[in-house]
């Protein structure tokens, strides 16, 4: 009987994905109210040069035209859409024409959830995940984690950016911390070496990088990318080699914008 209760939320999620309506291609250009929400809530956008802001807005609108954003147990607000889309655009803003071909929808839960996709009860530690199997092409995010990532200016973490970096990593066919589509071949071996050297420092308590980064190479890449975009000046000062490599991967130098 316990196994049945575990299967119910999974089955309901499968049915949800099968029966939902396709509501893509329904997002128009950002209104002035949307742009005000964007400016008020996304510090990355605030720090862009005047000429770059319209380009960010356009990329954000394009993302919302081909990716569904839907709620389970909660209604979706305009701010939810803006923050999710911003999380997608921030890592790829340095690329001229990037589309998340491995993503069709983002499902927003009201709070953290467990591995059986339940957002009530105990053992709810998951803040975000990129789906595999029947969930392939889907991302699930916790609204509480989404809002926290953009509201706490003192931290080095942003769950939504973390998950979109996983998608970038996955775009070459393997979620392994080495984004081959984005990293020139000559930088691959030095990057892997840097990963393992920094993991040893984290294990020895000699690094300020979130210890979750030692889980594996893919999580390391996602964790340091959060730090790179959330606190670029600090990350550059404490981890210059990592910063330099991430600048090459993302074709961005966000520390310059914060000086």
């Amino acid at each position: 009987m316990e196994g049945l209760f575990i299967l119910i939320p999974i089955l309901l999620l499968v049915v949800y994905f099968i029966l939902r309506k396709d509501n893509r291609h329904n997002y128009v250009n950002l209104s002035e109210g949307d742009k005000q929400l964007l400016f008020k809530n996304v510090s990355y956008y605030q720090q862009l040069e005047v000429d770059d802001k319209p380009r960010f807005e356009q990329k954000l609108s394009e993302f919302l035209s081909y990716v569904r954003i839907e709620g389970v147990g909660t209604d979706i607000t305009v701010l939810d859409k803006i923050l999710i889309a911003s999380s997608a655009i921030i890592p790829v803003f340095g690329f001229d024409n990037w589309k998340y071909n491995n993503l069709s929808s983002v499902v927003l839960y009201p709070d953290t959830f467990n591995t059986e996709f339940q957002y009530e009860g105990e053992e709810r530690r998951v803040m975000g995940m990129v789906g595999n199997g029947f969930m392939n092409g889907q991302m699930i995010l916790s609204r509480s984690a989404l809002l926290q990532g953009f509201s706490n200016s003192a931290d080095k973490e942003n769950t939504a950016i973390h998950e979109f970096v996983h998608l970038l990593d996955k775009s070459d066919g393997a979620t392994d911390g080495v984004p081959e589509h984005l990293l020139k071949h000559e930088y691959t071996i030095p990057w892997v070496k840097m990963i393992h050297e920094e993991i040893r420092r984290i294990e020895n308590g000699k690094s300020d990088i979130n210890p979750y980064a030692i889980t594996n190479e893919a999580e390391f890449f996602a964790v340091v990318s959060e730090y790179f975009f959330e606190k670029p000046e600090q990350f550059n000062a404490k981890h210059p080699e990592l910063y330099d490599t991430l600048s090459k991967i993302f074709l961005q130098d966000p520390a310059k914008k914060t000086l």
Side-chain angles (χ1 to χ4, degrees):
M1 183 62 72
E2 182 181 352
L4 177 61
F5 283 115
I6 291 175
L7 282 173
I8 287 174
I10 298 176
L11 291 173
L12 288 175
L13 201 59
V14 173
V15 172
Y16 166 75
F17 284 127
I18 293 173
L19 298 181
R20 66 187 174 179
K21 295 179 180 178
D22 188 339
N23 60 359
R24 289 172 292 179
H25 309 294
N26 62 353
Y27 202 90
V28 295
N29 291 334
L30 301 181
S31 69
E32 287 306 312
D34 295 339
K35 293 176 186 178
Q36 289 174 13
L37 277 177
L38 180 59
F39 185 83
K40 181 178 178 181
N41 292 279
V42 181
S43 60
Y44 179 97
Y45 174 81
Q46 294 171 9
Q47 295 163 7
L48 288 175
E49 298 290 340
V50 173
D51 293 341
D52 285 333
K53 284 184 170 66
R55 189 162 62 90
F56 188 94
E57 295 161 10
Q58 179 61 32
K59 287 177 177 290
L60 188 148
S61 185
E62 288 172 358
F63 174 85
L64 291 171
S65 75
Y66 71 85
V67 175
R68 303 181 191 91
I69 298 178
E70 301 167 303
V72 170
T74 185
D75 293 327
I76 297 297
T77 69
V78 174
L79 180 60
D80 293 331
K81 290 185 177 184
I82 287 174
L83 295 184
I84 291 170
S86 294
S87 306
I89 300 308
I90 287 169
V92 301
F93 191 62
F95 312 142
D96 290 333
N97 297 296
W98 179 272
K99 183 176 182 180
Y100 286 94
N101 293 316
N102 53 356
L103 181 68
S104 59
S105 68
V106 177
V107 179
L108 193 65
Y109 276 17
D111 206 340
T112 52
F113 51 97
N114 61 26
T115 54
E116 280 77 44
F117 310 109
Q118 297 168 317
Y119 53 87
E120 295 179 345
E122 300 179 353
E123 301 299 320
R124 295 182 297 108
R125 298 190 180 93
V126 184
M127 295 185 290
M129 64 174 289
V130 172
N132 292 300
F134 81 88
M135 290 278 293
N136 194 45
Q138 324 296 329
M139 178 187 293
I140 301 179
L141 288 173
S142 153
R143 173 185 274 130
S144 58
L146 173 69
L147 296 177
Q148 177 69 14
F150 283 94
S151 65
N152 189 350
S153 60
D155 71 3
K156 300 168 288 190
E157 301 172 9
N158 186 306
T159 296
I161 289 177
H162 180 110
E163 297 304 326
F164 278 103
V165 170
H166 277 320
L167 281 180
L168 291 178
D169 188 7
K170 190 179 181 180
S171 67
D172 60 13
T175 310
D176 56 5
V178 183
E180 295 180 10
H181 285 173
L182 311 179
L183 187 63
K184 291 183 179 179
H185 181 71
E186 61 265 31
Y187 297 127
T188 300
I189 293 177
W191 170 240
V192 173
K193 183 180 178 182
M194 272 188 277
I195 289 176
H196 290 281
E197 287 175 349
E198 193 62 35
I199 283 176
R200 284 193 290 272
R201 281 192 280 269
I202 297 169
E203 290 173 334
N204 293 326
K206 297 180 179 179
S207 175
D208 68 333
I209 292 172
N210 187 333
Y212 188 66
I214 70 174
T215 304
N216 54 47
E217 290 87 347
E219 294 300 344
F220 180 92
F221 177 42
V223 166
V224 296
S225 296
E226 293 179 73
Y227 194 166
F228 176 81
F229 288 112
E230 288 291 299
K231 289 291 177 183
E233 197 174 1
Q234 179 178 323
F235 186 62
N236 189 25
K238 294 191 174 185
H239 308 279
E241 286 186 303
L242 286 172
Y243 182 93
D244 183 62
T245 301
L246 290 179
S247 290
K248 291 181 172 70
I249 290 173
F250 294 117
L251 302 181
Q252 298 189 57
D253 190 358
K256 276 189 175 180
K257 297 197 293 288
T258 62
L259 296 177

